[in-house]
Amino acid sequence: MVNFATIASTLLAALPLASATIYFQETFADPTHRHNIENSRTFAGDKLPARWVQSESKDDYGKFKVTAGKFFADSKASRGLQTSQDAKFYAMSAPLDKEFDNKGKDLVLQFTAKFEQNIGEIFIYLSRDASACVGTNCGGGYIKLLPKFEAKTFNGDTPYSIMFGPDICGYDKKIHAIITYKGKNHLIKKTITPGSDQFTHQYTFVLHPDQTYSILLDGETKESGSILESWDLLPPKKIKDPNASKAAEISDPTDKKPANWDDIPATIVDPDAEKPEDWDDEMDGEWEAPKISNPDYKGEWVANKIPNPAYKGAWVHPEIDNPEFKEDTEIYAFKNGHVGFDLWQVKSGTIFDNIIVTDNLDEAKEFAKKTFDDLKDAEKEAKDKLDEKEKKEAEEKEKAEKKDDAKSADAEEVSADEDEHAEL
């Protein structure tokens, strides 16, 4: 008997996501690889795809290269954009396939980052005066979504809509999520921990037309909610009434300032001061005795406090509408034309890959399955093999060094014996 429900389900699953539009997609994978995604641009060997433009805003930017790194799931599929020079700023961008106006649509920004260089390390170095100092390996791993601009001018001052991704500096590790509103960049108020080991991790940022958001790490939701609550984008709707007060004590209305209160000066001439014997009025001018604090001065007059007869215990300050608050239901909406990496890295080696900009989270999840989910286990196996190889090489090197040290010691002993016999 034919199961029509199963057939229909299979056919629907095979259909592309009809409502989804992909505005940008990049894997940097070798075009001969079977998992090379159709919408990604192909290129020859390890060269950068032509759409990626190096900024010329500075002449000493660090260089990106295309590589799978020291360990990888697949030598072709795992290729990404890697920082290659230590202590450098980086700035490179690529245009979207078409401008993305997400008004009335979801906005999904997703990519992977692999801190292969173990950037969370703390290291010791010698300063110029030869004293030991503690250093921190810092490195940004975030991507920017930007309006259209001239790619060669890209730098840290270029206006952007969203900046998103991991930022690691020693023990300070967080996922940045910055939204631009009316020319000001607003950082999320929540602390979100990134993947901070040496493996590839996937970062996903979703904005919805109802002004809610989701941040996912490796496909798992880490934060979600209203952008109005998680970011300080608008002034508060309500503020405390500046004219309201209900203190436990008040100034005594019957207390009067003494008539001569203001006649008492804060300082007086020092009565014990004497004119120096060598003082010359013609040369030094007319001598004036120094002044000292007046012991009779009591400061500015303040009325005595008395219990407030209207006070009725703990009081909640009443609030009023904030005249500076203006509701905006389109904070989430942007017009974007580029993606870009604007970074500072002390220790280079981060690999960026598997970038997608779309208006459908299911499309991003499907992309993630092919480019991230299916490769995680193989990457871990590759790392284990590399660790074992490096451990073996280190042990062999240590043995060789000990052997060389023993030979040197024997040679020094023979030389000493020969010198002793020569003296005899």
Side-chain angles (χ1 to χ4, degrees):
M1 181 177 178
V2 179
N3 189 329
F4 291 103
T6 302
I7 294 174
S9 176
T10 303
L11 290 173
L12 285 172
L15 292 174
L17 297 167
S19 60
T21 300
I22 297 174
Y23 295 88
F24 186 88
Q25 191 167 271
E26 181 69 83
T27 64
F28 301 100
D30 188 300
T32 62
H33 188 259
R34 63 185 179 86
H35 276 167
N36 188 51
I37 308 300
E38 183 179 350
N39 287 40
S40 296
R41 305 294 178 87
T42 60
F43 55 97
D46 293 334
K47 293 182 179 179
L48 283 167
R51 63 175 168 179
W52 287 92
V53 179
Q54 172 67 54
S55 173
E56 297 177 4
S57 179
K58 295 174 61 176
D59 58 9
D60 60 346
Y61 278 122
K63 302 299 181 184
F64 284 103
K65 65 179 182 180
V66 175
T67 177
K70 295 187 296 183
F71 64 92
F72 41 79
D74 186 283
S75 62
K76 296 180 179 180
S78 300
R79 291 181 179 181
L81 195 64
Q82 185 183 47
T83 56
S84 66
Q85 296 173 284
D86 294 344
K88 288 284 187 179
F89 287 98
Y90 292 82
M92 181 172 282
S93 64
L96 304 187
D97 295 335
K98 60 179 179 180
E99 186 178 62
F100 182 14
D101 181 352
N102 69 300
K103 185 176 180 179
K105 304 176 183 178
D106 284 348
L107 183 156
V108 183
L109 173 61
Q110 179 174 281
F111 72 107
T112 60
K114 175 186 178 186
F115 285 93
E116 190 176 75
Q117 69 274 47
N118 195 14
I119 205 165
E121 294 177 330
I122 303 295
F123 61 90
I124 306 297
Y125 68 95
L126 292 179
S127 66
R128 290 183 179 179
D129 63 357
S131 60
C133 299
V134 178
T136 305
N137 281 324
C138 296
Y142 32 79
I143 192 170
K144 287 183 175 181
L145 194 55
L146 312 97
K148 289 181 178 179
F149 68 98
E150 175 51 51
K152 290 184 178 181
T153 67
F154 184 37
N155 59 42
D157 294 327
T158 304
Y160 62 86
S161 303
I162 293 169
M163 188 176 97
F164 172 65
D167 189 26
I168 298 175
C169 194
Y171 297 116
D172 186 14
K173 305 172 184 180
K174 64 187 69 174
I175 295 177
H176 278 317
I178 299 176
I179 296 175
T180 298
Y181 180 61
K182 292 187 175 181
K184 185 177 179 181
N185 303 325
H186 299 266
L187 177 64
I188 192 170
K189 294 186 288 185
K190 298 184 177 182
T191 300
I192 312 170
T193 303
S196 57
D197 52 31
Q198 293 176 272
F199 294 103
T200 299
H201 291 280
Q202 180 180 267
Y203 299 88
T204 309
F205 187 37
V206 187
L207 281 179
H208 302 290
D210 64 356
Q211 313 241 73
T212 60
Y213 75 98
S214 297
I215 292 175
L216 295 82
L217 174 62
D218 297 340
E220 179 182 343
T221 300
K222 293 297 181 181
E223 286 293 348
S224 62
S226 167
I227 63 173
L228 300 178
E229 295 174 359
S230 297
W231 283 263
D232 286 327
L233 297 164
L234 297 175
K237 288 184 178 181
K238 298 282 187 179
I239 59 172
K240 291 181 179 179
D241 186 350
N243 298 317
S245 176
K246 192 64 69 175
E249 291 184 329
I250 60 172
S251 297
D252 185 352
T254 65
D255 195 10
K256 304 296 181 182
K257 180 167 66 173
N260 63 342
W261 186 276
D262 294 332
D263 296 335
I264 303 173
T267 60
I268 58 173
V269 173
D270 185 354
D272 297 327
E274 295 181 357
K275 180 179 179 180
E277 293 180 359
D278 60 349
W279 187 274
D280 188 327
D281 289 343
E282 291 185 2
M283 296 291 294
D284 302 324
E286 185 180 354
W287 182 79
E288 292 183 2
K291 291 188 176 184
I292 61 173
S293 297
N294 186 354
D296 295 327
Y297 180 69
K298 300 178 182 179
E300 184 180 354
W301 183 83
V302 178
N304 292 324
K305 296 290 185 180
I306 61 172
N308 184 355
Y311 182 70
K312 299 179 180 178
W315 176 70
V316 178
H317 201 130
E319 294 185 331
I320 60 173
D321 290 334
N322 185 353
E324 296 183 2
F325 175 80
K326 292 183 180 180
E327 191 164 1
D328 188 342
T329 60
E330 296 182 357
I331 296 176
Y332 76 95
F334 300 97
K335 290 183 179 180
N336 288 301
H338 279 78
V339 292
F341 294 101
D342 167 39
L343 312 165
W344 161 255
Q345 291 207 335
V346 174
K347 189 175 181 181
S348 63
T350 307
I351 299 176
F352 303 96
D353 201 1
N354 308 318
I355 308 164
I356 184 170
V357 180
T358 180
D359 56 11
N360 189 293
L361 182 57
D362 288 336
E363 184 69 52
K365 288 180 178 179
E366 184 66 23
F367 178 69
K369 184 179 186 307
K370 299 174 183 177
T371 59
F372 176 69
D373 297 337
D374 292 350
L375 302 176
K376 286 189 296 184
D377 292 342
E379 183 183 71
K380 187 177 187 309
E381 290 175 7
K383 179 64 166 60
D384 291 341
K385 289 180 180 178
L386 177 64
D387 289 345
E388 186 61 33
K389 178 184 176 183
E390 290 180 343
K391 180 181 178 182
K392 186 176 180 180
E393 289 175 349
E395 290 173 348
E396 291 176 350
K397 182 180 178 181
E398 184 180 0
K399 288 180 181 179
E401 288 175 348
K402 287 182 178 179
K403 188 175 181 181
D404 290 341
D405 291 343
K407 286 182 179 179
S408 297
D410 291 342
E412 289 177 3
E413 185 176 347
V414 170
S415 177
D417 290 341
E418 290 176 349
D419 291 341
E420 184 177 348
H421 286 302
E423 289 177 1
L424 294 173

